[in-house]
Amino acid sequence: MGGVFGDFTLPATRAPLQIQPGEMGEAIDGSAAVQVKLPRLDELDACISQGAGKSADDMATGRDQCIQKLSPSSSLVDASARIRIGFTGAKDDSGEDAFVVFRLQYAARSQVSGGVMTVEAFPAHCTLKK
């Protein structure tokens, strides 16, 4: 993958995916330990802590705002990356034929979100390479 988070490889496998009972599709799943361009975790934790609310929704909103506001660390950050690209089956009538889930999880322990800081990412300028 290449994009705003840097360049890295995620080994992936393709397998059947049950969309709902009686409906099958396919998914490509990949994960790996990576080094990425993200803000330093201590800076992200501090930024989130400045938010008023402490509910899960407040934390997620604060995290997303802080990720956009903070600059990436001057050095790459250790994380794990996961991607799932799902393809719905022929019987699907939702109007969607695919979905993408892309998550980065800091390797270091977070001080504010139960110890685990995960960033759900939908960067506009990413490319998938075969």
Side-chain angles (χ1 to χ4, degrees), residues 22-107:
E23 184 179 343
M24 296 301 290
E26 287 186 293
I28 297 172
D29 289 303
S31 63
V34 295
Q35 291 188 315
V36 291
K37 297 176 186 175
L38 283 173
R40 286 184 16 202
L41 183 56
D42 60 337
E43 292 175 356
L44 182 57
D45 282 345
C47 180
I48 294 169
S49 293
Q50 292 173 4
K54 297 299 179 201
S55 73
D57 287 342
D58 292 337
M59 297 289 278
T61 299
R63 176 202 61 216
D64 294 345
Q65 290 172 347
C66 290
I67 285 288
Q68 292 179 15
K69 183 170 85 172
L70 296 170
S71 297
S73 171
S74 59
S75 59
L76 295 175
V77 173
D78 290 328
S80 60
R82 290 187 187 175
I83 191 165
R84 170 173 265 193
I85 304 170
F87 305 96
T88 58
K91 295 181 183 179
D92 185 272
D93 61 0
S94 69
E96 296 181 6
D97 55 1
F99 64 89
V100 176
V101 177
F102 179 53
R103 291 187 179 105
L104 297 169
Q105 182 175 312
Y106 282 83

